[in-house]
Amino acid sequence: MIKRVISFMVLLGFAFIFGKMLINWLPMSELNGVARAYVEREPQELGAVNVVTAIVVTYRGLDTLGEVSVLFLAATGVALLLRRRKNSTQNKENKRPASEFLKTGSSLLMPFIVMFGVYIFINGHLSPGGGFQGGAVIASAMLLMLLTFPDYRLNHTVLGWVESASGVSYVLVGVLGLLLAGGFLDNRILPLGTYGAILSAGAIPLIYVFIGLKVGAELAGVLENLKQEQ
Amino acid sequence: MTIVLGIGFLLMLIGFWGLLTRRNMIKMVLSIAIAESGLQLAMIAIGYINGRTAPILNSETLKLHGALKVVDPVPQALVLTAIVIGVAVNALMLTFVIRLYQQKKSLDISDYRDMKW
């Protein structure tokens, strides 16, 4: 009982703080300094149509590297904690096979979902989207396969190689920026190209392809590991 | 946008409430996820400027006068980061829950007193 009262008091405190923030909040009416500099200088400097992409990949590219590392550490942690044991294949026979509709439908849809994921991360510098979103879409295709075919095994070796190779290439592109252009993860190692064309914005599409492959492989690995456990 | 900010705060409160009162560990993980979504919504709402468009400079006018026409791109980039890290942390927490369940066959947090003084 006393615990309930304490939690209620804590919540009330949070509600008070949030209420005060909400009442005193003035919506922004124009961009502040940093955002203004990003929006104004980005088309000339980096040549990406999507400013968010330019910030994520180049201006704050080091953050994205950290983010990818966090994702990698989490995926590794999941794999380590859910390591497959010998007796995990005992209750295989009580699994009901998927229906014909689900099987046909997901085999039909899976290549298109993967293609859409690739589309999202290749167009990350032109439209809303990017490596993480495209990778998540690709992982959702893998989830569809895992749900439809209970015995389906993703190839861990391939997943591991895709993940490691794309991660290493991402860092290598970053180091190339240090050597050939202004700094770590600078996208101007490749020509900027026509503004708005698919092969533009220097190394941003390249970096997003690597991020997309890495995230897709990592999330698919997490799903696979979680599935192994039931 | 005050409404969106309010909804974000409300979701955070719901998440905290779930975290404080639920005992089922899966529900606690979900509460953290709900609080996270609330926080992300609040961040996006703070970066919004009334009547402006998304920070995608896909026309000549936007390219030249973008700073007068688009919303703040920085919170959006930060929320992108926050979402990914949130997913990673949630997956890891659910893995811990699975391992704990395998050890003791219980999802109730009050059954786990090993680390309590």
Side-chain angles (χ1 to χ4, degrees):
Chain A
M1 192 61 220
I2 188 94
K3 220 183 144 197
R4 289 250 140 173
V5 176
I6 293 176
S7 352
F8 190 69
M9 299 292 277
V10 170
L11 273 182
L12 222 59
F14 274 120
F16 179 72
I17 296 170
F18 288 155
K20 218 152 170 94
M21 280 162 86
L22 200 58
I23 286 167
N24 295 331
W25 181 59
L26 286 173
M28 271 166 69
S29 58
E30 56 184 46
L31 298 180
N32 56 22
V34 182
R36 203 183 170 81
Y38 283 159
V39 173
E40 274 173 356
R41 287 161 49 192
E42 190 274 329
Q44 282 76 43
E45 273 186 7
L46 308 181
V49 174
N50 187 347
V51 185
V52 178
T53 299
I55 295 174
V56 167
V57 177
T58 304
Y59 286 130
R60 308 231 53 88
L62 211 55
D63 293 0
T64 306
L65 189 60
E67 186 183 353
V68 172
S69 323
V70 169
L71 198 59
F72 171 71
L73 282 179
T76 317
V78 171
L80 195 70
L81 285 167
L82 297 180
R83 210 177 324 146
R84 210 176 313 160
R85 259 144 295 132
K86 294 282 178 286
N87 54 2
S88 63
T89 49
Q90 55 188 10
N91 51 359
K92 201 172 241 179
E93 60 275 5
N94 54 19
K95 269 182 195 154
R96 193 159 59 95
S99 74
E100 199 58 44
F101 283 121
L102 189 56
K103 277 182 188 164
T104 317
S106 55
S107 325
L108 192 71
L109 278 177
M110 162 134 160
F112 293 105
I113 298 177
V114 172
M115 198 171 77
F116 184 57
V118 172
Y119 169 83
I120 288 177
F121 63 63
I122 286 182
N123 281 282
H125 59 302
L126 301 178
S127 57
F132 294 100
Q133 296 88 325
V137 170
I138 289 179
S140 76
M142 299 300 163
L143 177 64
L144 193 63
M145 289 309 268
L146 291 175
L147 287 176
T148 314
F149 304 103
D151 296 331
Y152 184 71
R153 286 272 154 81
L154 294 176
N155 193 334
H156 274 282
T157 328
V158 174
L159 278 185
W161 271 101
V162 169
E163 193 183 321
S164 327
S166 47
V168 169
S169 326
Y170 176 30
V171 177
L172 277 182
V173 171
V175 174
L176 275 182
L178 199 61
L179 296 175
L180 302 175
F184 189 63
L185 280 171
D186 197 319
N187 73 331
R188 284 166 290 184
I189 53 171
L190 297 172
L192 288 185
T194 329
Y195 187 76
I198 187 120
L199 286 177
S200 66
I204 287 180
L206 197 63
I207 290 174
Y208 252 172
V209 167
F210 292 140
I211 294 179
L213 287 176
K214 189 166 165 61
V215 170
E218 267 162 11
L219 291 182
V222 167
L223 292 172
E224 162 88 354
N225 282 316
L226 286 172
K227 184 215 145 210
Q228 296 288 331
E229 270 312 300
Q230 353 111 12
Chain B
M1 271 296 132
T2 318
I3 303 164
V4 178
L5 190 66
I7 293 173
F9 284 155
L10 193 69
L11 279 176
M12 276 167 82
L13 282 180
I14 292 173
F16 289 151
W17 171 75
L19 201 56
L20 287 171
T21 57
R22 298 297 100 174
R23 301 186 150 265
N24 186 322
M25 287 189 287
I26 291 183
K27 285 183 184 167
M28 293 172 77
V29 174
L30 284 181
S31 305
I32 294 176
I34 291 172
E36 261 168 22
S37 332
L39 181 66
Q40 288 153 9
L41 209 56
M43 279 168 77
I44 285 288
I46 287 171
Y48 187 77
I49 302 173
N50 237 343
R52 294 202 182 183
T53 178
I56 294 171
L57 311 176
N58 51 4
S59 72
E60 278 304 309
T61 44
L62 276 181
K63 193 182 164 187
L64 288 177
H65 311 289
L68 302 172
K69 295 241 166 77
V70 299
V71 302
D72 195 342
V74 180
Q76 302 200 359
L78 292 180
V79 166
L80 200 59
T81 309
I83 290 173
V84 175
I85 291 181
V87 166
V89 170
N90 284 344
L92 202 56
M93 281 194 295
L94 284 173
T95 310
F96 282 132
V97 173
I98 291 175
R99 288 296 284 163
L100 286 172
Y101 183 75
Q102 283 172 347
Q103 297 286 319
K104 284 201 174 174
K105 299 286 170 211
S106 161
L107 283 175
D108 192 336
I109 189 78
S110 50
D111 286 347
Y112 296 90
R113 299 196 163 271
D114 310 355
M115 295 291 279
K116 248 183 172 178
W117 58 85

